[in-house]
Coordinates of all heavy atoms in Angstrom, one line a residue:
P234 N -19.7 -32.1 17.4 CA -19.2 -30.7 17.2 C -18.1 -30.6 16.2 O -18.1 -29.7 15.4 CB -18.8 -30.4 18.7 CG -19.7 -31.2 19.6 CD -19.8 -32.5 18.9
E235 N -17.2 -31.6 16.3 CA -16.1 -31.5 15.4 C -16.4 -31.9 13.9 O -15.5 -31.7 13.0 CB -14.9 -32.5 15.9 CG -15.3 -34.0 15.8 CD -16.0 -34.4 17.1 OE1 -16.3 -33.6 17.9 OE2 -16.0 -35.6 17.4
E236 N -17.6 -32.2 13.7 CA -18.0 -32.5 12.3 C -18.4 -31.4 11.5 O -18.7 -31.5 10.3 CB -19.2 -33.6 12.3 CG -18.7 -35.0 12.8 CD -19.8 -36.0 12.8 OE1 -21.0 -35.6 13.2 OE2 -19.7 -37.1 12.2
I237 N -18.7 -30.3 12.2 CA -19.1 -29.0 11.5 C -18.0 -28.6 10.4 O -16.9 -28.4 10.7 CB -19.3 -27.9 12.5 CG1 -20.3 -28.2 13.6 CG2 -19.8 -26.6 11.8 CD1 -21.7 -28.6 13.0
D238 N -18.5 -28.5 9.2 CA -17.6 -28.2 8.1 C -18.0 -26.9 7.4 O -19.1 -26.7 6.9 CB -17.7 -29.3 7.1 CG -16.7 -29.2 5.9 OD1 -16.0 -28.1 6.0 OD2 -16.8 -29.9 5.0
T239 N -17.1 -25.8 7.6 CA -17.4 -24.6 7.0 C -16.8 -24.3 5.6 O -16.9 -23.2 5.0 CB -16.9 -23.5 7.9 OG1 -15.5 -23.6 8.0 CG2 -17.6 -23.5 9.3
S240 N -16.4 -25.3 5.0 CA -15.7 -25.2 3.6 C -16.8 -25.2 2.5 O -17.9 -25.7 2.7 CB -14.7 -26.3 3.4 OG -15.4 -27.6 3.3
T241 N -16.4 -24.6 1.5 CA -17.2 -24.4 0.3 C -16.3 -24.2 -1.0 O -15.1 -24.3 -0.8 CB -18.3 -23.3 0.4 OG1 -19.2 -23.4 -0.7 CG2 -17.6 -22.0 0.7
S242 N -16.9 -23.8 -2.0 CA -16.1 -23.4 -3.2 C -16.6 -22.2 -3.9 O -17.8 -21.9 -3.9 CB -16.1 -24.5 -4.3 OG -17.5 -24.7 -4.8
F243 N -15.7 -21.4 -4.3 CA -15.9 -20.0 -5.0 C -15.4 -20.2 -6.4 O -14.1 -20.4 -6.6 CB -15.3 -18.9 -4.3 CG -16.0 -18.6 -3.0 CD1 -15.3 -17.6 -2.1 CD2 -17.1 -19.1 -2.5 CE1 -15.8 -17.3 -0.9 CE2 -17.7 -18.7 -1.3 CZ -17.1 -17.8 -0.5
L244 N -16.2 -20.1 -7.4 CA -15.8 -20.1 -8.7 C -14.9 -21.4 -9.0 O -13.9 -21.3 -9.7 CB -15.1 -18.9 -9.2 CG -15.9 -17.6 -9.2 CD1 -15.1 -16.3 -9.4 CD2 -17.0 -17.7 -10.2
G245 N -15.3 -22.5 -8.4 CA -14.5 -23.8 -8.7 C -13.4 -23.9 -7.8 O -12.7 -25.0 -7.8
S246 N -13.0 -23.1 -6.9 CA -11.8 -23.2 -6.0 C -12.2 -23.4 -4.6 O -13.1 -22.7 -4.0 CB -10.9 -21.9 -6.1 OG -10.4 -21.7 -7.3
K247 N -11.7 -24.3 -3.9 CA -12.1 -24.8 -2.5 C -11.5 -23.7 -1.7 O -10.4 -23.2 -1.6 CB -11.5 -26.1 -2.1 CG -12.0 -26.5 -0.8 CD -11.4 -27.9 -0.4 CE -11.8 -28.4 0.9 NZ -11.5 -27.5 2.1
V248 N -12.5 -23.3 -0.7 CA -12.1 -22.3 0.4 C -12.6 -22.9 1.7 O -13.6 -23.7 1.7 CB -12.6 -20.9 0.2 CG1 -11.9 -20.3 -1.0 CG2 -14.1 -20.9 -0.1
D249 N -12.1 -22.5 2.8 CA -12.5 -23.0 4.1 C -13.5 -22.2 4.8 O -14.1 -22.7 5.9 CB -11.2 -23.1 5.0 CG -10.3 -24.3 4.6 OD1 -10.7 -25.1 3.7 OD2 -9.1 -24.2 5.0
L250 N -13.9 -21.1 4.3 CA -14.9 -20.3 4.8 C -15.8 -19.7 3.7 O -15.3 -19.3 2.7 CB -14.3 -19.2 5.7 CG -13.7 -19.6 7.0 CD1 -12.9 -18.4 7.6 CD2 -14.8 -19.9 8.0
P251 N -17.0 -19.5 4.0 CA -17.9 -18.8 3.0 C -18.0 -17.3 3.0 O -19.0 -16.7 2.7 CB -19.4 -19.4 3.4 CG -19.3 -19.5 4.9 CD -17.9 -19.9 5.2
I252 N -16.8 -16.8 3.4 CA -16.7 -15.3 3.5 C -15.4 -14.9 2.7 O -14.6 -15.8 2.4 CB -16.6 -14.7 4.9 CG1 -15.4 -15.3 5.6 CG2 -17.8 -15.0 5.7 CD1 -15.1 -14.9 7.0
Y253 N -15.4 -13.6 2.3 CA -14.2 -13.2 1.6 C -13.9 -11.7 1.9 O -14.7 -11.0 2.3 CB -14.4 -13.4 0.0 CG -15.3 -12.6 -0.6 CD1 -15.1 -11.4 -1.1 CD2 -16.7 -13.2 -0.7 CE1 -16.1 -10.5 -1.7 CE2 -17.7 -12.4 -1.3 CZ -17.4 -11.1 -1.9 OH -18.5 -10.3 -2.4
V254 N -12.6 -11.3 1.7 CA -12.3 -9.9 1.9 C -12.7 -9.2 0.6 O -12.2 -9.5 -0.5 CB -10.7 -9.8 1.9 CG1 -10.4 -8.2 2.2 CG2 -10.3 -10.6 3.1
S255 N -13.5 -8.2 0.6 CA -14.0 -7.5 -0.5 C -13.0 -6.6 -1.0 O -12.0 -6.3 -0.3 CB -15.2 -6.7 -0.1 OG -15.9 -6.2 -1.4
G256 N -13.1 -6.1 -2.2 CA -12.1 -5.2 -2.9 C -12.5 -3.8 -2.5 O -13.6 -3.3 -2.8
F257 N -11.6 -3.0 -1.9 CA -11.8 -1.6 -1.6 C -10.5 -0.8 -1.5 O -9.4 -1.4 -1.5 CB -12.5 -1.5 -0.2 CG -11.9 -2.3 0.9 CD1 -10.8 -2.0 1.6 CD2 -12.4 -3.6 1.2 CE1 -10.2 -2.7 2.6 CE2 -11.9 -4.4 2.2 CZ -10.7 -4.0 2.9

Side-chain angles (χ1 to χ4, degrees):
E235 63 273 11
E236 291 181 318
I237 302 299
D238 183 4
T239 61
S240 67
T241 184
S242 64
F243 288 171
L244 294 173
S246 296
K247 184 180 182 299
V248 289
D249 290 343
L250 285 168
I252 58 177
Y253 64 90
V254 182
S255 192
F257 47 82

